[in-house]
Amino acid sequence: MNNETRFQIAQSFLQNHFRISVRQPDDEDYSFAVTELLDSVSRTAILDIQSALLSHPDRKVVGTLFAKRYSVWFTGLVAAVGLFDYRLSSNPANVRFHISSQAVMAYQTKPEAPEWLSHTDLAKRRNQLADYFQELLQNTDLVFASVSEHTSVPTKVMWSLVTHQLLQYYARLEEEHNRELTKERLQLIADDQSILMGCKREHLISTQLRSVMHPRRGSILYIRRYCCLAFRLKRHGYCHTCPRLSASDRERMLMQEK
């Protein structure tokens, strides 16, 4: 497979699964830059738009749902590395986003580096990923700290939503895609995961989430440590991974899933 085909496959996957597009020189920029979230004035305007799209709930609901949306971005960058050896920039100056119905976010960024990560020189890959993941964590923490200042949602709650999204991605990958991926690729992804978790700081990513088995599918479901507060929105209800649910209510919801 040549690099052009490889890039097209990676780009299509990221767009379909994580709403991430790789910005080309002639692409129209998405509406907002992540750097705007670091400025108190522009941050307020952006979060007010998200609040309006959610019918103006409490600020904490806006903050937790922002983090839940942003966790998709974070996980998408991790998936790009693990599945395609492809690093995308997390630098706030390079990342843009668009907000649509229900405050759903789509993302646009540039490649982090022109070369693909090696899948044979593991020592080089580990060194490159340690730096890359550390930068991803730091850039995300800057954004969360700013959003926390506006919404009063603790950053530990925001990071717990990233942890949930990330661990659920790894579980789903192992369960659903192991027939499509080689053993070598799955091992590479496991090694990448250990590097990412090794970069953690006390208030960032944790591996300690409770899990249950889906009663019909037998798949692993991680339970969020903190509620995302989506139940406070009209006509939403509780997520099936919500920590507020009793075991019986969760099982009933999962059995009714289509």
Side-chain angles (χ1 to χ4, degrees):
M1 182 188 303
N2 61 43
N3 283 343
E4 183 177 356
T5 302
R6 191 178 177 190
F7 172 77
Q8 290 173 347
I9 293 172
Q11 188 174 31
S12 177
F13 180 88
L14 293 170
Q15 181 67 52
N16 291 336
H17 292 272
F18 298 100
R19 299 176 65 87
I20 296 173
S21 67
V22 182
R23 185 160 21 134
Q24 304 300 313
D26 56 346
D27 285 346
E28 182 178 352
D29 286 345
Y30 281 14
S31 305
F32 306 103
V34 168
T35 49
E36 294 178 68
L37 290 167
L38 306 180
D39 173 80
S40 60
V41 175
S42 54
R43 174 193 68 197
T44 298
I46 291 169
L47 294 176
D48 282 351
I49 291 171
Q50 291 198 305
S51 178
L53 289 168
L54 296 169
S55 300
H56 301 287
D58 181 89
R59 276 190 177 188
K60 286 191 174 182
V61 179
V62 177
T64 52
L65 291 182
F66 172 89
K68 190 176 182 181
R69 309 285 194 255
Y70 210 74
S71 72
V72 175
W73 155 256
F74 187 101
T75 305
L77 264 60
V78 174
V81 164
L83 293 172
F84 304 105
D85 309 317
Y86 191 42
R87 287 168 291 175
L88 292 171
S89 178
S90 66
N91 187 322
N94 292 332
V95 184
R96 302 189 67 87
F97 60 97
H98 173 71
I99 308 171
S100 57
S101 176
Q102 295 300 305
V104 171
M105 298 168 70
Y107 310 92
Q108 187 184 55
T109 189
K110 298 177 180 179
E112 172 75 7
E115 75 276 5
W116 302 79
L117 283 167
S118 174
H119 58 274
T120 54
D121 187 344
L122 298 186
K124 180 180 179 181
R125 182 187 181 94
R126 290 185 185 113
N127 288 333
Q128 290 176 322
L129 281 184
D131 292 339
Y132 178 72
F133 285 148
Q134 191 64 52
E135 184 177 3
L136 174 58
L137 290 166
Q138 290 171 350
N139 287 333
T140 304
D141 207 31
L142 284 174
V143 173
F144 282 177
S146 181
V147 174
S148 173
E149 183 180 3
H150 181 83
T151 63
S152 299
V153 176
T155 56
K156 68 177 182 180
V157 173
M158 295 182 176
W159 275 109
S160 75
L161 296 170
V162 173
T163 296
H164 178 266
Q165 180 78 241
L166 191 61
L167 293 183
Q168 200 62 67
Y169 158 74
Y170 280 126
R172 190 165 59 246
L173 192 67
E174 185 174 350
E175 292 164 359
E176 297 179 6
H177 298 289
N178 56 6
R179 295 180 182 178
E180 303 170 18
L181 300 173
T182 64
K183 290 183 178 179
E184 290 77 13
R185 175 57 63 177
L186 288 170
Q187 182 58 54
L188 202 62
I189 292 170
D191 290 343
D192 293 350
Q193 181 182 4
S194 68
I195 295 169
L196 175 58
M197 296 306 179
C199 291
K200 68 186 179 183
R201 296 200 296 271
E202 182 180 352
H203 64 301
L204 302 186
I205 295 175
S206 168
T207 57
Q208 304 302 312
L209 288 184
R210 183 166 62 93
S211 64
V212 297
M213 299 298 289
H214 194 293
R216 285 197 297 116
R217 301 175 188 167
S219 55
I220 295 174
L221 285 177
Y222 285 96
I223 308 304
R224 291 186 177 92
R225 180 171 296 166
Y226 300 100
C227 177
C228 71
L229 304 182
F231 76 94
R232 293 186 182 178
L233 302 178
K234 293 180 180 178
R235 299 181 296 277
H236 190 283
Y238 290 103
C239 307
H240 59 246
T241 55
C242 183
R244 295 172 181 264
L245 284 176
S246 67
S248 58
D249 285 342
R250 189 184 328 279
E251 183 172 359
R252 189 180 307 110
M253 286 179 64
L254 293 171
M255 291 297 292
Q256 293 172 351
E257 273 187 335
K258 293 182 180 180

